[in-house]
Amino acid sequence: MRAPAPPRPRAALAAALRAEGGLLADALAPPAGEDALAARVAAGPRAAAAPDDYALVVAAVREGYLLHYDRGRVVATDDGDLALLAGDRLYALALARLAQLGDLAAVAELADLISLCAQAAAEGPEGLAEAAWEAAAAALAAGSTPAHARAKERARAGDPGAIAALRASATAPGSQAPSHS
């Protein structure tokens, strides 16, 4: 018996946007590479009933984040306004998918992630957004922990130890240690 193929969340995201049509479908780039964060979430116990959906959710939020603060990997545009709107659309797509799955705790986790990334972009420090991604992926895969909740509070408060706390919460027992992608 063969193991199931790992999810290809960037390709699934591109297919979903292509099916919607419109400006985002016209701005699709060929999805290259894998999305390690999405794959780790999909492999976690929280996503066991719908791993492809969870992988798509993480890929959509990650792409939305990249469109807001860097360059997308699935949607390629030099139009800053379109990138911002595309990022918002992808955040909405992800949160709606989680709501359909009935996972309101994951909706809250992604809302926290989005706000921590916005805070990191506005105030820093460097490394905060990636640490927030690592910690959120672990929480999405296996559920949040008290250490994770405390680490997010430290980040919101601008605590200099927040990055280390977020990374530690991502590798604490009961979580899955995600890698950057």
Side-chain angles (χ1 to χ4, degrees), residues 3 23 27 30 32 41 43 67 79 92 105 120 123 130 134 138 146 148 164 166-167 172 179 181:
L23 290 174
V41 170
L67 286 164
D79 181 334
E123 304 169 4
E130 285 306 313
E134 292 172 19
H148 175 66
L166 286 165
R167 289 202 167 119
S179 65
S181 177

Side-chain angles (χ1 to χ4, degrees), residues 9 57 81 110:
V57 161
D81 291 335
L110 285 178

Side-chain angles (χ1 to χ4, degrees), residues 110-141:
L110 285 178
D112 284 348
L113 172 63
I114 291 166
S115 70
L116 285 173
C117 287
Q119 177 183 337
E123 304 169 4
E126 186 174 333
L128 177 60
E130 285 306 313
W133 272 100
E134 292 172 19
L140 289 167

Side-chain angles (χ1 to χ4, degrees), residues 147-176:
H148 175 66
R150 286 190 303 274
K152 291 189 297 185
E153 286 303 316
R154 290 178 72 180
R156 286 185 196 99
D159 183 327
I163 292 171
L166 286 165
R167 289 202 167 119
S169 77
T171 59
S175 67
Q176 293 187 350

